[in-house]
Amino acid sequence: MSILVMKFGGTSVATLDRIRRAAKRVGREVANGHEVIVIVSAMSGETNKLVGFVEETSPLYDAREYDAVVSAGENVTAGLMALTLQEMDVPARSWQGWQVPLKTTSAHAAARIEEIPTDNILRKFDEGMKVAVVAGFQGISPEGRITTLGRGGSDTTAVAFAAAFGAERCDIYTDVDGVYTTDPRITSKARKLDRIAFEEMLELASLGAKVLQTRSVELAMRYNVKLRVLSSFEEMSDEAGTLVCAEEDIVESNVVAGVAFSRDEAKMTLQGVEDRPGIAAAIFGPLAEAGVNVDMIVQNISEGGTTDMTFSCPINEVKRAEKAMGDAKAAGLIDFAGLVADTDVCKVSIVGIGMRSHAGVAAKMFQTLRDEGINIKVITTSEIKVSVLVDRKYLELAVQALHDAFGLERAA
Ligand code: ADP
Ligand code: ASP
Ligand code: MG
């Protein structure tokens, strides 16, 4: 018997009818002789609604209660999927994260998976159950509280189960038929990739391409999980979708594999901070403790012993960042003249393994943006990516221009 993991995202379980369609796919794999672990997301829109309730009730919420609330959406779909399968005479049972138990760290709202014991579910398979339906996105902390894995976390649940059970494959069913050169919602020229390297997918995901959660790609890479992204709305075929695989398994690829973006960025500038050894630690330590995910950092030229420190973070963490900096100042840890938040920016990035061996890619990106009259506010680079912060109103224009400039609508 071989085990398959099939994950259905929010749009794929958005209605009872779609749950039935997804269940039919699962039924076909069971008929093919597989035992299946199905990971489900909440119905689309459900998690956003729950997050909204939390933020309205308590703007600087206790993350333990946030998790208690936002994990609930997946419980509903797990039970409904099991019931739907039972109605189709497929022996199925649902599990919430704590019942598995999917053990995580206690970093609420961004917990990491530590262990997935397989005995419970394997025993049920031995007893004749064919499908284990598991609520994605959630687990249990060492303290015994419900945790969640961060937005998009059901992808990570799926890959972690595939690794723990040595599954033959991990299929991520979503509302697009694979990974594209950029979000197909931004440009119709976006092209579906048959294959993409783990490293490239990892960068694209962490830079905003939400088709896979970053952590799921990390896990797939580490445990060599055969990871496929495909549409739950199209007919099944072995060649469908995009395979996320090792670099060696890709024959030809463009220098730039894709363009990613993150709409909800903020640029924060601490003005007039003292320029002394330890100042970066004094600023970014408290930000990290407050759970602010700082991405880009720029320290400006210092004048008269003080400097400006600029960093970017997700827009919904601005309040936390302001509070952390205010508290640090009140406690005498840092001093600054002002804190300015620019919440009208976005981040646009190009990603490609080919950049390791090609010079001039960053320059071409900057020229392309210049030709469109787009001002760059902050730049960061790594071996296989270049990211810029620009005004949000230029997001679509920047993505389209870069997609054209690097010829992404054509295969290499
Ligand atoms: P699910 O609910 O199934 O997890 P998500 O909304 O999390 O689905 O992810 C799928 C979405 O990711 C697509 O609808 C698409 O708009 C977006 N997306 C962003 N970048 C890409 C990309 N490079 N390729 C494909 N989809 C992308
Ligand atoms: N429902 C959660 C979210 O919307 C987890 C997921 O769908 O992957 O983020
Ligand atoms: Mg998702």
Side-chain angles (χ1 to χ4, degrees):
M1 273 287 185
S2 69
I3 295 181
L4 268 192
V5 172
M6 302 171 78
K7 179 254 172 178
F8 294 94
T11 39
S12 309
V13 292
T15 61
L16 297 184
D17 192 48
R18 290 203 182 155
I19 293 178
R20 268 191 294 274
R21 284 170 66 169
K24 275 191 199 144
R25 274 181 196 275
V26 176
R28 267 180 272 171
E29 295 292 8
V30 171
N32 288 340
H34 292 291
E35 285 163 331
V36 183
I37 299 176
V38 173
I39 309 294
V40 286
S41 285
M43 290 174 164
S44 71
E46 202 56 30
T47 311
N48 282 347
K49 187 181 87 186
L50 297 173
V51 170
F53 285 162
V54 170
E55 286 174 344
E56 202 179 322
T57 308
S58 170
L60 292 173
Y61 49 77
D62 176 336
R64 283 164 293 219
E65 301 310 335
Y66 168 96
D67 278 352
V69 176
V70 307
S71 60
E74 273 70 9
N75 297 344
V76 175
T77 40
L80 289 173
M81 176 63 84
L83 285 172
T84 309
L85 287 159
Q86 288 174 3
E87 286 294 323
M88 292 164 42
D89 291 327
V90 178
R93 183 62 63 209
S94 74
W95 271 265
Q96 295 183 7
W98 66 272
Q99 292 173 300
V100 173
L102 188 148
K103 299 181 189 169
T104 72
T105 60
S106 39
H108 284 275
R112 288 168 78 94
I113 299 174
E114 302 238 281
E115 194 195 342
I116 303 181
T118 55
D119 42 334
N120 259 327
I121 288 176
L122 287 179
R123 191 174 340 107
K124 282 286 180 186
F125 279 142
D126 281 344
E127 290 168 14
M129 180 195 68
K130 291 293 172 197
V131 182
V133 184
V134 180
F137 179 51
Q138 48 171 266
I140 184 166
S141 73
E143 294 77 28
R145 299 219 60 94
I146 303 300
T147 53
T148 64
L149 310 177
R151 296 307 304 269
S154 297
D155 298 329
T156 302
T157 308
V159 174
F161 267 83
F165 285 80
E168 188 179 311
R169 222 172 48 231
C170 181
D171 286 342
I172 305 284
Y173 287 92
T174 182
D175 57 357
V176 279
D177 61 349
V179 178
Y180 280 70
T181 47
T182 193
D183 189 337
R185 286 172 212 258
I186 297 286
T187 167
S188 57
K189 290 185 189 166
R191 177 172 54 87
K192 196 198 76 149
L193 300 163
D194 293 331
R195 289 173 179 232
I196 185 161
F198 284 125
E199 286 87 350
E200 290 173 333
M201 191 63 239
L202 196 58
E203 287 285 3
L204 287 174
S206 73
L207 294 167
K210 66 172 184 160
V211 62
L212 285 174
Q213 198 198 32
T214 310
R215 184 83 184 116
S216 73
V217 186
E218 257 169 39
L219 283 182
M221 191 162 142
R222 163 124 55 96
Y223 295 101
N224 218 356
V225 171
K226 195 166 174 201
L227 179 62
R228 208 161 58 137
V229 177
L230 63 176
S231 161
S232 64
F233 303 113
E234 287 182 10
E235 272 316 297
M236 285 166 97
S237 88
D238 286 345
E239 293 307 307
T242 300
L243 187 68
V244 188
C245 60
E247 201 180 324
E248 304 82 72
D249 298 331
I250 299 179
V251 188
E252 285 205 84
S253 58
N254 288 324
V255 175
V256 172
V259 184
F261 57 84
S262 157
R263 203 179 289 276
D264 303 316
E265 295 286 314
K267 171 170 157 275
M268 315 267 302
T269 304
L270 274 167
Q271 297 167 321
V273 271
E274 235 185 315
D275 193 4
R276 59 164 168 89
I279 190 66
I283 293 171
F284 296 104
L287 287 171
E289 272 163 40
V292 177
N293 288 291
V294 171
D295 177 30
M296 304 164 136
I297 299 175
V298 181
Q299 182 176 337
N300 295 29
I301 297 171
S302 99
E303 272 173 63
T306 64
T307 182
D308 288 352
M309 189 78 88
T310 298
F311 60 90
S312 71
C313 69
I315 204 166
N316 60 1
E317 291 174 9
V318 166
K319 279 203 188 76
R320 267 174 210 280
E322 285 172 342
K323 181 169 187 307
M325 292 297 89
D327 290 352
K329 187 174 180 177
L333 297 172
I334 49 171
D335 195 17
F336 56 87
L339 175 56
V340 184
D342 178 354
T343 52
D344 283 324
V345 292
C346 66
K347 182 171 62 189
V348 178
S349 312
I350 54 172
V351 171
I353 282 175
M355 285 186 205
R356 284 189 198 133
S357 50
H358 279 75
V361 177
K364 185 167 173 179
M365 178 183 197
F366 304 150
Q367 284 154 9
T368 305
L369 296 173
R370 175 203 61 198
D371 292 347
E372 299 294 340
I374 300 172
N375 187 36
I376 299 171
K377 298 189 154 184
V378 183
I379 302 171
T380 54
T381 65
S382 80
E383 206 187 13
I384 67 163
K385 72 123 203 261
V386 185
S387 296
V388 295
L389 224 51
V390 300
D391 279 333
R392 187 168 306 123
K393 64 180 179 203
Y394 294 129
L395 190 145
E396 283 80 6
L397 180 61
V399 172
Q400 284 162 4
L402 292 169
H403 200 272
D404 286 346
F406 289 100
L408 300 192
E409 74 276 17
R410 293 179 306 276

